[in-house]
């Protein structure tokens, strides 16, 4: 390039950055698909700049460095750079330095197309075929392909975000997430996050009632065109995260839309956080305060006919915290007990009513104590079994009685060298089984059951 000196001289400086994370598979694509189109010298320049990206870490260097690394002249570097720019692998930016008659270049590496994108491209695929011929093109085509699967023979069972995380309440996700903490999501001053297309997730449309949302909005104040696909997706995610009803979301949107009918997503995000803090205060309610969801109650609207059904109904309508409080005779539960229950609700994603059965069951098996390892082991088993209702939990407790007793005995073996005489006790009707109480021979299970029933009766009667 005879006029390269008008554009670039050896003492001009440069820095290298990447538009996205470069992966090892990109090396194969560059070598096998792009090199036949741009030549080995242009590929060498790209790979050298890739190395500089990692080695310099954003620091400046002069083009003397590139000349020494590639063992070629500046005209070659300039001409090969143009090839990279033309095929979309490099963006070049330049600015004049104020203190010197020099330039500073910014070389931004762009990741190559994925193989499927390359072969689908209207020009690149044909260009490659022309360069390498039919035989080699067929080999490359096969190398970057995978066995085809007839997806019509399968049923898609991929879960959406809301399916998997529906039992994790919004307040658990955003607990302690203040406005100040929100700024932590932004990169440090003068820096930007690395980007590249990656895994995405979806929320089902039914997590937010857009029909009700739009019904209360005037088209003159908020035109439908203002709620773009991106804004709609943001509304859906924020509503799910913070538990914002459609009518409240209307007010939030009205507060952030500008005179040009543009809805800024960052402003929408900030307004949603402010709404949550105003509604719930600084201390978010905890999972232990929740009760069994209506959709997972089997005794809702049903009059109990047996003691078992009466207990089921109570465990469906009381929170784990309140149950612990009633078991303690009205005293506030210990922080360690609350934390244990909170942890299993969050980590194992057990519903409140199921956790109530677990608390009731373990209390009667371990001398009115919540043994952490024992509770966690049963909770993990119930989570794997996908127990969702109080009835399912009680039935599983009956079926697995011997297994759970063995777990309790294993725990006891680790803490004692001499075992006490195992004694059979009377148990709650809904368990219908015998079990031992190695922790305390003086512990009367039947008496404990009666006390529990009495305390819960006081709670039910409001006395």
């Amino acid at each position: 390039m005879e006029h390269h000196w008008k554009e670039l001289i050896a003492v001009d400086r440069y820095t290298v950055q990447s538009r996205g994370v470069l992966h090892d598979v990109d090396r194969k694509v560059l070598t096998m698909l792009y090199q036949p189109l741009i030549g080995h010298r242009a590929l060498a320049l790209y790979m050298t700049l890739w190395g500089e990206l990692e080695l310099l870490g954003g620091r400046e260097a002069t083009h003397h460095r590139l000349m020494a690394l590639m063992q070629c002249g500046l005209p070659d570097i300039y001409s090969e750079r143009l090839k990279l720019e033309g095929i979309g692998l490099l963006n070049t930016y330049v600015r004049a330095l104020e203190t010197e008659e020099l330039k500073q270049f910014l070389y931004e590496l762009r990741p190559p197309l994925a193989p499927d994108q390359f072969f689908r491209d209207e020009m690149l695929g044909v260009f490659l075929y022309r360069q390498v011929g039919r035989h080699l093109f067929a080999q490359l085509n096969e190398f970057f392909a995978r066995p085809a699967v007839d997806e019509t023979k399968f049923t898609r069972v991929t879960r959406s975000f809301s399916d998997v995380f529906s039992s994790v309440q919004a307040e658990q996700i955003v607990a302690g997430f203040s406005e100040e903490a929100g700024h932590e999501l932004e990169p440090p001053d003068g820096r930007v996050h690395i980007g590249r297309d990656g895994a995405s997730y979806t929320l089902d449309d039914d997590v937010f009632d857009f029909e009700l949302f739009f019904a209360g909005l005037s088209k003159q104040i908020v035109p439908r065109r203002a709620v773009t696909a991106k804004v709609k997706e943001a509304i859906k995610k924020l509503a799910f995260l913070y538990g914002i009803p459609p009518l409240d979301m209307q007010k939030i949107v009205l507060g952030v839309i500008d005179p040009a009918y543009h809805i800024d997503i960052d402003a929408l995000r900030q307004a949603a956080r402010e709404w949550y803090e105003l509604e719930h205060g600084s201390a978010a309610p905890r999972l232990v305060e929740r009760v069994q969801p209506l959709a997972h109650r089997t005794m809702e609207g049903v009059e109990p006919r047996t003691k078992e059904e009466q207990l089921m109904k109570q465990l469906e309508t009381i929170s784990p915290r309140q149950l612990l409080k009633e078991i303690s005779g009205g005293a506030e539960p210990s922080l360690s007990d609350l934390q244990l229950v909170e942890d299993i609700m969050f980590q194992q994603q057990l519903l409140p009513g199921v956790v109530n059965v677990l608390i009731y069951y373990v209390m009667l098996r371990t001398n009115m104590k919540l043994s952490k390892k024992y509770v966690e082991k049963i909770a993990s088993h119930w989570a794997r079994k996908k127990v969702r209702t109080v009835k399912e939990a009680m039935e599983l407790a009956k079926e697995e009685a011997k297994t759970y007793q063995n777990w309790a005995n294993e725990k006891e073996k680790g803490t004692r060298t001499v075992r006490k005489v195992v004694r059979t006790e009377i148990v709650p009707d809904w368990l219908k089984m015998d079990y031992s109480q190695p922790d305390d021979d003086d512990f009367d299970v039947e008496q404990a059951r009666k006390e529990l029933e009495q305390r819960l009766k006081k709670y039910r009667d409001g006395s």
Side-chain angles (χ1 to χ4, degrees):
M1 184 72 62
E2 57 180 350
H3 298 302
H4 76 276
W5 52 269
K6 293 182 180 180
E7 302 290 338
L8 175 67
I9 60 177
V11 292
D12 283 338
R13 300 169 186 173
Y14 71 90
T15 56
V16 185
Q17 71 175 26
S18 172
R19 194 173 186 88
V21 179
L22 295 168
H23 301 292
D24 186 60
V25 68
D26 293 328
R27 300 180 192 273
K28 297 178 182 178
V29 173
L30 288 165
T31 303
M32 308 302 291
L33 302 182
Y34 279 87
Q35 184 174 214
L37 308 184
I38 61 178
H40 69 279
R41 290 187 299 181
L43 175 64
L45 176 59
Y46 188 96
M47 301 304 289
T48 301
L49 290 175
W50 188 345
E52 290 286 81
L53 173 68
E54 299 171 346
L55 185 60
L56 291 176
R59 298 190 302 274
E60 290 184 7
T62 69
H63 284 77
H64 278 299
R65 179 186 176 96
L66 274 182
M67 294 165 64
L69 286 171
M70 297 186 63
Q71 289 294 293
C72 65
L74 204 57
D76 292 329
I77 291 176
Y78 180 68
S79 63
E80 301 308 322
R81 191 195 86 187
L82 297 184
K83 293 179 183 178
L84 294 178
E85 292 172 2
I87 206 164
L89 291 173
L90 182 70
N91 287 334
T92 302
Y93 305 89
V94 64
R95 69 169 181 169
L97 298 177
E98 297 178 359
T99 57
E100 307 173 45
E101 294 182 359
L102 299 175
K103 297 176 182 177
Q104 181 183 26
F105 288 84
L106 171 62
Y107 295 137
E108 182 185 65
L109 293 176
R110 301 184 64 189
L113 295 176
D116 62 328
Q117 295 173 318
F118 186 97
F119 283 103
R120 285 201 310 267
D121 188 89
E122 291 80 1
M123 292 193 347
L124 295 182
V126 175
F127 191 10
L128 179 64
Y129 185 93
R130 177 186 171 187
Q131 291 295 100
V132 302
R134 179 179 180 182
H135 179 68
L136 181 53
F137 182 86
Q139 286 185 322
L140 294 173
N141 199 7
E142 183 178 0
F143 178 75
F144 286 103
R146 59 176 172 79
V149 176
D150 185 2
E151 295 182 356
T152 61
K153 296 181 179 179
F154 296 82
T155 301
R156 183 182 174 91
V157 294
T158 306
R159 300 292 191 272
S160 68
F161 183 94
S162 50
D163 286 336
V164 177
F165 296 102
S166 60
S167 59
V168 181
Q169 304 299 329
E171 53 266 27
Q172 182 69 23
I173 301 176
V174 301
F177 190 78
S178 62
E179 179 179 351
E180 291 75 15
H183 296 307
E184 298 297 326
L185 299 179
E186 300 298 326
D189 292 341
R191 301 177 72 86
V192 294
H193 286 139
I194 296 171
R196 187 167 183 173
D197 292 339
S200 61
Y201 63 91
T202 60
L203 286 174
D204 291 336
D205 288 337
D206 58 9
V207 302
F208 185 75
D209 190 346
F210 277 103
E211 185 175 348
L212 178 59
F213 170 76
F214 284 121
L217 283 177
S218 167
K219 293 183 179 180
Q220 284 70 37
I221 299 176
V222 182
R224 292 294 180 269
R225 70 175 185 274
V227 186
T228 62
K230 287 186 176 180
V231 171
K232 192 172 181 180
E233 188 67 19
I235 287 174
K236 191 162 57 172
K237 290 179 179 179
L238 291 170
F240 177 80
L241 177 63
Y242 293 105
I244 305 174
L247 298 182
D248 286 329
M249 184 60 79
Q250 290 175 357
K251 300 173 186 175
I252 292 174
V253 170
L254 288 171
V256 300
I257 192 168
D258 63 21
Y261 302 118
H262 172 257
I263 299 173
D264 184 79
I265 292 179
D266 288 334
L268 187 67
R269 206 176 284 129
Q270 176 63 26
R273 281 202 295 264
E274 292 174 353
W275 175 90
Y276 182 84
E277 291 173 0
L278 184 64
E279 288 291 315
H280 299 280
S282 57
R286 299 185 299 178
L287 291 178
V288 289
E289 304 285 355
R290 294 193 157 269
V291 297
Q292 183 78 350
L294 287 173
H296 296 284
R297 296 184 189 181
T298 58
M299 294 300 296
E300 183 66 23
V302 177
E303 189 64 31
R305 293 175 296 179
T306 64
K307 285 187 176 182
E308 181 176 331
E309 289 183 348
Q310 189 177 58
L311 178 61
M312 287 171 57
K313 186 156 189 171
Q314 280 187 280
L315 297 180
E316 286 181 346
T317 55
I318 190 173
S319 71
R321 178 184 171 277
Q322 188 62 41
L323 176 61
L324 288 170
K325 185 176 180 179
E326 296 306 316
I327 290 175
S328 302
E332 285 295 329
S334 68
L335 290 178
S336 60
D337 284 351
L338 287 175
Q339 187 61 54
L340 172 60
V341 173
E342 181 103 1
D343 287 346
I344 63 172
M345 292 182 73
F346 180 64
Q347 294 170 7
Q348 304 295 345
Q349 298 186 15
L350 294 181
L351 293 178
V354 176
V355 173
N356 285 340
V357 178
L358 180 57
I359 293 171
Y360 192 94
Y361 176 82
V362 172
M363 284 287 193
L364 286 178
R365 290 186 67 102
T366 56
N367 197 357
M368 306 297 284
K369 294 182 292 187
L370 286 180
S371 171
K372 186 173 186 294
K373 289 185 178 180
Y374 190 45
V375 170
E376 289 176 343
K377 197 164 187 178
I378 298 178
S380 176
H381 184 235
W382 288 8
R384 289 195 301 272
K385 288 285 189 178
K386 296 181 173 58
V387 178
R388 307 295 288 169
T389 68
V390 168
K391 184 177 182 180
E392 289 172 352
M394 293 172 72
E395 289 176 350
L396 188 57
K398 295 178 188 178
E399 295 171 7
E400 302 292 340
K402 291 183 179 179
T403 300
Y404 297 161
Q405 180 56 44
N406 289 336
W407 292 349
N409 291 342
E410 288 172 6
K411 171 183 174 295
E412 185 65 16
K413 287 177 183 178
T415 57
R416 293 191 180 186
T417 56
V418 180
R419 295 293 304 273
K420 292 186 178 181
V421 178
V422 174
R423 189 159 55 97
T424 301
E425 301 286 0
I426 302 172
V427 297
D429 293 338
W430 64 273
L431 288 180
K432 300 294 184 185
M433 63 178 184
D434 289 339
Y435 65 96
S436 60
Q437 287 294 335
D439 288 341
D440 190 348
D441 277 340
D442 296 327
F443 179 65
D444 190 330
V445 180
E446 179 62 15
Q447 182 61 32
R449 183 183 67 80
K450 289 180 179 179
E451 289 179 5
L452 279 177
E453 289 183 351
Q454 188 63 29
R455 290 170 186 173
L456 291 177
K457 183 177 184 300
K458 288 182 180 180
Y459 169 77
R460 182 175 67 253
D461 297 341
S463 57

